[in-house]
Amino acid sequence: MVEYEKIPISFTVDSKYEIKIVDSGLGGFIWQKIRVSPPYVKDYDAEEKPSDWLKIFKMDNWRVFFWIENKEVRGGAVVVANYPEVHLLDGRADLALLWDIRVKPEYRSGGAGTRLFQYAAIWAKQHGCTQLKIETQNTNVPACEFYVHQGCELGEINFHKYINSKFSRDDIMLCFYLDLLKYETG
């Protein structure tokens, strides 16, 4: 995980999705992309680094992918399946979780993320999973748009998930799902 941890995951938050509940949720939600002022840097590794995962989890049934070009690691992704200790898997043997995906800033928007996502989806499908789940936050607008572009659909909203987090207390958890039974790579 040492090499994986060298890939920065930080990004600048300059917009977020504001989600307003209508009629206590019975009337749905109103989504609005708003500017964040002042912009700030968010770094998921500040709360938990990839090397910490080895201390917390026995990483059987986890798969780590790297995107290497010209002998340089430019990105990586981690997928987990069939691992009851990961609560985001909801105890389902047919669900895989894209635990983490990261691309070096200078290579973002260049296709590496798409390739890593495809590898993760193909691996999950080959291991008997019917869905791939991805967790992100309303403050990670590029990730939300990326997952939708990959064919995912928003399946969960949790306004209170990060209430005890010193880094993400005001964030809203968004979980996207990819139907692997219909998944075809281009």
Side-chain angles (χ1 to χ4, degrees), residues 37-65:
S37 184
Y40 62 94
V41 173
K42 185 164 186 163
D43 186 358
Y44 294 115
D45 287 347
E47 194 163 352
E48 181 182 272
K49 293 180 168 66
S51 57
D52 295 332
W53 306 337
L54 295 169
K55 300 171 192 166
I56 301 168
F57 301 103
K58 183 178 171 192
M59 294 181 70
D60 300 347
N61 300 336
W62 293 52
R63 177 63 191 227
V64 180
F65 297 96

Side-chain angles (χ1 to χ4, degrees), residues 59-168:
M59 294 181 70
D60 300 347
N61 300 336
W62 293 52
R63 177 63 191 227
V64 180
F65 297 96
F66 287 98
W67 183 259
I68 301 171
E69 212 169 291
N70 297 326
K71 299 182 182 178
E72 177 189 12
V73 174
R74 295 186 177 184
V78 177
V79 185
V80 59
N82 199 19
Y83 195 84
E85 290 81 2
V86 174
H87 299 291
L88 282 169
L89 289 171
D90 304 325
R92 292 177 47 194
D94 70 326
L95 181 65
L97 177 69
L98 181 58
W99 181 269
D100 189 78
I101 186 168
R102 52 182 68 203
V103 175
K104 287 183 176 178
E106 61 269 30
Y107 301 113
R108 292 178 185 163
S109 299
T114 295
R115 289 182 202 102
L116 288 163
F117 184 90
Q118 289 172 345
Y119 292 153
I122 290 166
W123 180 88
K125 190 173 183 176
Q126 288 173 343
H127 285 80
C129 296
T130 61
Q131 284 185 312
L132 180 66
K133 181 178 183 178
I134 308 101
E135 173 199 9
T136 193
Q137 296 76 38
N138 66 315
T139 52
N140 196 343
V141 170
C144 294
E145 292 172 353
F146 172 78
Y147 297 131
V148 169
H149 183 73
Q150 299 306 314
C152 301
E153 294 180 352
L154 180 64
E156 291 178 50
I157 303 169
N158 187 330
F159 291 89
H160 309 289
K161 177 67 175 178
Y162 311 114
I163 199 77
N164 294 318
S165 170
K166 65 180 180 178
F167 297 101
S168 303

